[in-house]
Amino acid sequence: MKKSPPATPTGRAPRAATRPILGFLDRIEDAEIAGWAFDPIDPATPLAMRVMIDGSIADVLSCDVNRPDVSALNLPSTKVGFEYAIPAKFQDGLRHVLSLAGIDGAPIHLPGRGGIILPELHFCLTRQVRIDGVLDGLVDGLSQGWVLRVDQRTNEKSGGVRLMVTAQGQPITEIVADQFRGDVAEALGCDPACGFSFVLPPALRLGRRVKLDFHAMPERVQLRGAPIEITVPTAQERSQIAAMIERTDEMFRFAYNLRRELKAALPSDRFSLADYQSWAEQNAPLILSRSAVRYGALTSEPRVSVLCPVYRPVLAEFLAAMDSVRAQTYANWELILVDDASRDDTISATLAELAKLDPRIRVITQEKNGGIAEATNRALSAAKGDFVAFFDHDDLMIPCALEVMMRAQAATGARLLYSDEDKVDARGRVSEPNFKPDFNYRFLLDLNYICHLVVAETPLVRAAGGLDPRFDGAQDHDLLLRLTEHLRADEVHHVAEILYHWRLTARSTAGGASAKPRAALAGEVAVAEHLKRRRLSAKVGRRGGLTCYRTQFTNSSDPGVSILIPYRNHITLTRQCVEAIRKHTSGVKYEIILLDNWSDGVEAEKFAVEQGNLPDTQVLKIAEPFNYSAINNRGVAAARYPYLLFLNNDVFVKDDTWLRTLLNEALADPGAGAIGAKLLYPNGTVQHAGVVLGVGGVADHAFRGLGGTEPGYIAHAMTAREVAAVTAACMLVRRDAFERVGGFDADELGVAFNDVDLCLKLRKVGYRILFTPDVVCEHRESMSRGDDLGEEKLARFMLENEVMRVRWGDTLPLDPFYNRQFAREGGVYRDLRIIEPAQETLWQRMPKVDEIIAPAAAARTGAARSDQHDTADAPRKKSKPSGPRHGR
């Protein structure tokens, strides 16, 4: 494949020869530089220069200040001067390097006083600031905290502070506090890139006690909470801990708690979302090679038209964006820049200069400002490429972005492709990665999770009508919804790599929902009109102040729902459960089927008689050993209605529309096989918001312990979306789909994983599994059957793990709705994977049952399990594992 010139670092111009510029740098003082300069080839046009600080574009200067002192040069105009004030963020007491370059990136060397030609200017400036910061302490084996430099005059609070770390009073390293801390930003109204975490170096892990101190530099201000003393295991103790970890893996009945404690005692080397900047630096060089392995070689190079509307951009950010396009490793592109009537001479000159630099760049100027949609449509009409890529005028693509997208297109035949993205600030630091799921239509209704980078067939976009100017601000969401009306799901492909950096500014939607409130309102209307075109009746409204929506389907059809509730004793609890159903269920025809699995005592008999005499209620006596799957299958055989609602007896409904909402989701999507609800512990935190496959073993719940009203990662906990599985603690299933796949597996999965297995069987035959946050119930775990992991039950649990491993081994590590960049070892939506082993899955690395000597080792294959039948008084973070139990 032909290549364009080698890629350059983000935000830096491709290298060019030094430009023959005439000028003089005559003042360097008080954080300002001044001088004059002009291009001898075109002296009538004010020269535009990039101001480069530490190798990145800090600003763009226009040499248009009047300088009467140069009149002797007989120039067309004496407006050739420039003045530049060093930004406050570089007045931090540290050394920086300033240089000048042309719009094309070619260095400009100006002479200064004393006859010295300065290719670059080194400076170190300070301002009146104070340091504010806290060492939070030891969190997950890491020393963590935050620090800000506060300008005494403007009260600006900026991150990126350098910290010196000392041990026993001796310096050991310097780190930069630039990790994302949204909690600090929200509380103090400051730069969120102010956090830090520190891992103790290996050389210091051998002592008994280490005293760590943290000072902000160069002020050498000690952080509040410092110093901190850490007890570090000796080499012998580390070996003993490792041996104990291995041993506890062989003894599942107490392994979970002990293993977490021991692992916490060892320094952590993993990456989490808080370490994203460091993770991104290590991951970026692997993207192209990893994509080549996944997608293969390009057999052809169709042209890609990059559509970029331009309206009064910050020139430094705009030039960085243009550099990122010019640096693409994929050569067959054209860049169409549409100036949407900026009416700015500097911008016009810059656009003209860019067109001269590369014949692949074309500039179109609009006489009247029409908005982003109209300007993009103008570019679309001029596009000559087979595919179009949508690009904002201040964002950045990584150098291999287009190449990776086109490799993916060639391998999959997709007509619409999208990648992962993150956000980039004025310093070039990346944060807030959006690791997206594979195509998720239900999620797209509630949130434009796709955003950037989008590449689509040009005829497809034109056939859809391009962008609609009525939805400026949410025009991309509207377009994506309209494109889905012309596409099958398998024609949309997700490239699970960060290929796009979304510029984080106060004016952009990347800055948050409050940055462009009109965008949220436009998106609301776009979703409503899309559903109207699909002839789906629904009410659409915003969720709080966020740019996401609640789509409430409405339907007058009432086919009927059979509610199945297994129980054993715990009569008071079960009575409360059914009374809540009768009190809070309206607008749906339903029956209650109580499945009595060997309850005993006078109270149990009275309850069964009482309930059996109520209308639309059945009580089935099932006098046999507990088998959740068999019990529910028996209940389904007795059910009257075409929809089944599996419900734990320790789950309590509170909203009158709960069942209608679940049913309407199923009626709106004939392909939905099962719909799960959001379950909260009694203390209001999340117990279930969807199931993620392959994490910690077979599966784990997403967002366990999160505040019940918190949005979660990229609003996943508060939006309806397709998931790989949901818990059967509260799950609506189509009866015909349930029977088609054979119902719950009573032969091999009597207790654990039967709901995950059912969902995977439904997905295998083409049904979707949905999660809705709009049905919220209270789940009191572990009140019916107690601990599911007693010693006598380990053999059964081992076998059920093996069943899942043999049956779904290739599927479990590849949850399509849980991005491959997240680790599978734990930390759902928190821990990041660095390198994905080739040709190896999680299950291939695990021992088989016949390789395990002790029966207690059953847990090795499933430390994290589905707990749809689990009931508990409150969430437990470090107690016994919340395994799958029949909560009766």
Side-chain angles (χ1 to χ4, degrees):
M1 188 183 74
K2 295 180 180 179
K3 302 283 186 180
S4 59
T8 60
T10 298
R12 292 170 170 78
R15 298 295 296 173
T18 302
R19 295 191 63 178
I21 299 300
L22 299 181
F24 191 77
L25 188 63
D26 52 18
R27 180 160 57 89
I28 306 174
E29 58 186 24
D30 297 330
E32 291 186 355
I33 63 171
W36 55 270
F38 64 91
D39 186 342
I41 298 176
D42 184 14
T45 302
L47 177 67
M49 299 189 297
R50 303 183 186 211
V51 179
M52 312 290 292
I53 298 182
D54 298 333
S56 295
I57 306 173
D59 209 337
V60 176
L61 290 179
S62 179
C63 298
D64 55 8
V65 176
N66 190 27
R67 288 292 300 262
D69 54 318
V70 301
S71 57
L73 298 178
N74 295 319
L75 298 174
S77 171
T78 57
K79 291 186 176 182
V80 294
F82 63 87
E83 296 175 349
Y84 182 68
I86 306 295
K89 64 182 177 181
F90 296 111
Q91 300 176 37
D92 53 6
L94 302 176
R95 184 179 67 87
H96 299 283
V97 180
L98 181 149
S99 60
L100 301 174
I103 293 298
D104 59 358
I108 293 176
H109 295 170
L110 295 180
R113 298 192 180 279
I116 301 174
I117 296 179
L118 298 177
E120 56 186 27
L121 173 66
H122 295 241
F123 64 89
C124 179
L125 300 170
T126 58
R127 53 195 168 118
Q128 294 298 312
V129 297
R130 61 179 174 84
I131 297 296
D132 186 13
V134 174
L135 176 62
D136 295 330
L138 205 61
V139 182
D140 290 337
L142 304 173
S143 299
Q144 296 187 3
W146 57 270
V147 59
L148 295 163
R149 182 170 278 110
V150 183
D151 190 302
Q152 299 278 48
R153 181 173 59 85
T154 65
N155 202 38
E156 177 189 5
K157 304 178 182 72
S158 57
V161 177
R162 291 188 176 275
L163 292 172
M164 176 178 287
V165 184
T166 64
Q168 317 298 91
Q170 297 299 315
I172 55 174
T173 190
E174 278 197 1
I175 59 177
V176 178
D178 59 1
Q179 296 175 3
F180 182 79
R181 284 293 297 264
D183 57 332
V184 179
E186 182 177 358
L188 301 180
C190 64
D191 182 358
C194 62
F196 66 88
S197 57
F198 175 71
V199 179
L200 203 63
L204 295 178
R205 298 179 190 176
L206 303 179
R208 289 295 303 163
R209 204 168 186 82
V210 177
K211 183 178 181 180
L212 294 178
D213 211 344
F214 294 78
H215 291 83
M217 302 299 289
E219 296 91 340
R220 200 172 180 81
V221 174
Q222 185 183 50
L223 300 191
R224 298 197 304 273
I228 184 175
E229 290 193 347
I230 301 175
T231 300
V232 183
T234 63
Q236 181 179 359
E237 289 169 338
R238 289 169 60 84
S239 298
Q240 292 173 343
I241 291 173
M244 291 173 66
I245 291 175
E246 181 64 26
R247 177 58 180 158
T248 52
D249 279 345
E250 301 293 326
M251 303 170 64
F252 190 76
R253 57 184 176 269
F254 55 84
Y256 188 82
N257 186 35
L258 184 57
R259 190 169 187 269
R260 287 187 64 179
E261 295 293 335
L262 293 170
K263 290 191 73 175
L266 297 174
S268 173
D269 295 317
R270 66 181 183 272
F271 285 100
S272 70
L273 287 173
D275 309 308
Y276 175 67
Q277 172 77 36
S278 299
W279 181 90
E281 292 171 358
Q282 295 192 22
N283 183 66
L286 306 175
I287 292 176
L288 184 56
S289 60
R290 190 162 55 217
S291 299
V293 171
R294 183 180 182 192
Y295 296 120
L298 275 169
T299 56
S300 63
E301 292 187 34
R303 181 183 295 181
V304 179
S305 298
V306 180
L307 313 182
C308 182
V310 179
Y311 183 71
R312 299 180 181 176
V314 176
L315 277 179
E317 297 171 352
F318 175 66
L319 288 173
M322 299 303 99
D323 289 348
S324 76
V325 177
R326 294 172 59 207
Q328 290 298 302
T329 58
Y330 187 85
N332 195 12
W333 55 263
E334 64 171 357
L335 172 60
I336 305 175
L337 300 170
V338 177
D339 182 3
D340 194 20
S342 297
R343 303 193 188 285
D344 185 295
D345 292 341
T346 302
I347 292 174
S348 298
T350 301
L351 291 171
E353 181 74 16
L354 288 168
K356 293 177 184 177
L357 291 176
D358 195 317
R360 295 173 294 182
I361 299 176
R362 287 191 283 150
V363 176
I364 299 172
T365 301
Q366 302 231 96
E367 293 299 321
K368 181 181 179 182
N369 178 264
I372 189 170
E374 182 179 309
T376 304
N377 287 340
R378 182 77 181 274
L380 175 65
S381 65
K384 299 178 180 178
D386 304 288
F387 293 85
V388 292
F390 297 91
F391 187 58
D392 288 351
H393 67 201
D394 55 359
D395 293 347
L396 303 171
M397 285 190 281
I398 73 167
C400 64
L402 293 181
E403 181 178 347
V404 171
M405 294 295 270
M406 298 315 294
R407 283 180 183 270
Q409 194 284 323
T412 64
R415 304 176 66 196
L416 171 66
L417 303 95
Y418 65 96
S419 75
D420 296 340
E421 64 188 295
D422 59 20
K423 294 176 183 175
V424 62
D425 64 16
R427 298 174 177 168
R429 301 188 185 281
V430 292
S431 63
E432 299 182 56
N434 187 349
F435 294 119
K436 305 168 188 177
D438 286 355
F439 181 60
N440 197 321
Y441 171 74
R442 186 61 185 88
F443 193 24
L444 185 61
L445 288 181
D446 279 20
L447 178 75
N448 180 14
Y449 77 93
I450 290 178
C451 291
H452 309 292
L453 171 69
V454 169
V455 173
E457 288 182 349
T458 304
L460 172 69
V461 179
R462 287 173 174 162
L467 297 171
D468 191 335
R470 293 179 301 150
F471 300 109
D472 270 359
Q475 72 286 338
D476 48 354
H477 196 183
D478 170 68
L479 176 62
L480 290 166
L481 291 170
R482 283 188 284 111
L483 290 177
T484 64
E485 297 166 20
H486 299 265
L487 295 168
R488 301 188 310 269
D490 61 359
E491 293 178 312
V492 183
H493 181 72
H494 167 221
V495 177
E497 299 285 0
I498 298 283
L499 304 182
Y500 195 97
H501 303 307
W502 194 3
R503 178 71 63 178
L504 189 61
T505 68
R507 296 184 301 169
S508 72
T509 51
S514 60
K516 289 187 178 179
R518 290 181 58 190
L521 296 175
E524 180 180 329
V525 178
V527 174
E529 291 201 3
H530 164 72
L531 294 172
K532 186 176 180 180
R533 288 192 297 272
R534 291 196 59 213
R535 298 182 179 179
L536 287 173
S537 178
K539 298 177 181 178
V540 181
R542 290 180 65 186
R543 294 186 186 272
L546 301 177
T547 312
C548 61
Y549 315 99
R550 179 180 180 182
T551 305
Q552 297 174 272
F553 293 108
T554 57
N555 198 306
S556 60
S557 176
D558 187 10
V561 179
S562 296
I563 303 174
L564 298 95
I565 308 174
Y567 73 100
R568 176 184 292 177
N569 295 321
H570 294 273
I571 302 306
T572 300
L573 181 78
T574 308
R575 179 181 283 109
Q576 291 173 351
C577 173
V578 296
E579 287 178 351
I581 292 171
R582 295 188 178 106
K583 179 180 179 181
H584 294 293
T585 305
S586 62
V588 182
K589 178 173 57 183
Y590 70 93
E591 66 172 342
I592 295 176
I593 304 177
L594 289 161
L595 306 172
D596 180 1
N597 181 215
W598 253 341
S599 295
D600 53 39
V602 175
E603 184 185 11
E605 290 299 324
K606 288 183 178 179
F607 175 73
V609 171
E610 165 198 311
Q611 295 296 316
N613 286 327
L614 294 174
D616 298 313
T617 303
Q618 300 182 56
V619 180
L620 300 184
K621 291 279 188 178
I622 303 175
E624 58 189 47
F626 173 73
N627 182 314
Y628 177 87
S629 296
I631 292 169
N632 278 283
N633 288 346
R634 291 269 295 273
V636 171
R640 291 187 289 156
Y641 293 128
Y643 286 89
L644 309 169
L645 191 286
F646 298 99
L647 190 72
N648 276 18
N649 68 330
D650 57 355
V651 170
F652 300 89
V653 301
K654 298 181 179 181
D655 180 9
D656 290 353
T657 64
W658 74 281
L659 190 54
R660 185 75 244 184
T661 299
L662 289 170
L663 182 59
N664 284 347
E665 285 282 350
L667 294 174
D669 182 3
I675 299 97
K678 186 174 187 176
L679 304 181
L680 305 182
Y681 291 110
N683 68 356
T685 60
V686 172
Q687 187 267 339
H688 170 265
V691 171
V692 174
L693 300 181
V695 175
V698 173
D700 200 2
H701 285 192
F703 306 110
R704 190 194 302 273
L706 182 75
T709 59
E710 293 296 312
Y713 181 77
I714 316 295
H716 280 57
M718 67 178 299
T719 48
R721 54 195 172 89
E722 186 176 356
V723 292
V726 292
T727 176
C730 182
M731 175 174 68
L732 183 77
V733 182
R734 292 179 187 277
R735 181 171 183 164
D736 56 355
F738 182 86
E739 293 174 341
R740 178 181 174 186
V741 299
F744 290 115
D745 184 348
D747 295 328
E748 297 185 290
L749 297 173
V751 179
F753 308 122
N754 34 57
D755 55 353
V756 176
D757 177 70
L758 175 68
C759 289
L760 290 176
K761 290 189 295 185
L762 290 170
R763 284 182 50 77
K764 187 175 181 179
V765 297
Y767 287 101
R768 284 178 287 280
I769 313 299
L770 302 180
F771 161 75
T772 175
D774 299 318
V775 176
V776 181
C777 308
E778 179 181 325
H779 189 188
R780 303 175 188 173
E781 284 191 297
S782 291
M783 296 183 67
S784 295
R785 295 180 56 247
D787 185 12
D788 184 53
L789 300 175
E791 186 173 353
E792 73 282 359
K793 300 169 185 173
L794 284 173
R796 183 265 304 156
F797 184 74
M798 176 179 67
L799 291 174
E800 291 180 337
N801 270 274
E802 184 68 6
V803 168
M804 292 296 290
R805 173 176 169 170
V806 171
R807 186 177 296 173
W808 304 108
D810 293 335
T811 301
L812 292 174
L814 301 175
D815 187 330
F817 307 112
Y818 189 59
N819 194 286
R820 65 181 62 235
Q821 305 300 349
F822 285 114
R824 263 53 181 176
E825 292 73 28
V828 180
Y829 288 109
R830 185 193 68 191
D831 292 344
L832 300 178
R833 179 193 313 229
I834 300 176
I835 298 177
E836 194 170 32
Q839 308 302 322
E840 184 176 301
T841 69
L842 171 69
W843 297 103
Q844 289 171 330
R845 296 196 296 274
M846 288 185 171
K848 299 292 188 288
V849 165
D850 56 8
E851 298 171 353
I852 301 176
I853 298 175
R860 172 173 291 180
T861 58
R865 302 153 303 142
S866 165
D867 57 355
Q868 74 275 20
H869 324 306
D870 206 7
T871 49
D873 297 310
R876 298 182 301 273
K877 294 185 178 179
K878 293 188 178 180
S879 61
K880 296 178 181 178
S882 50
R885 306 165 193 138
H886 169 205
R888 317 300 162 231

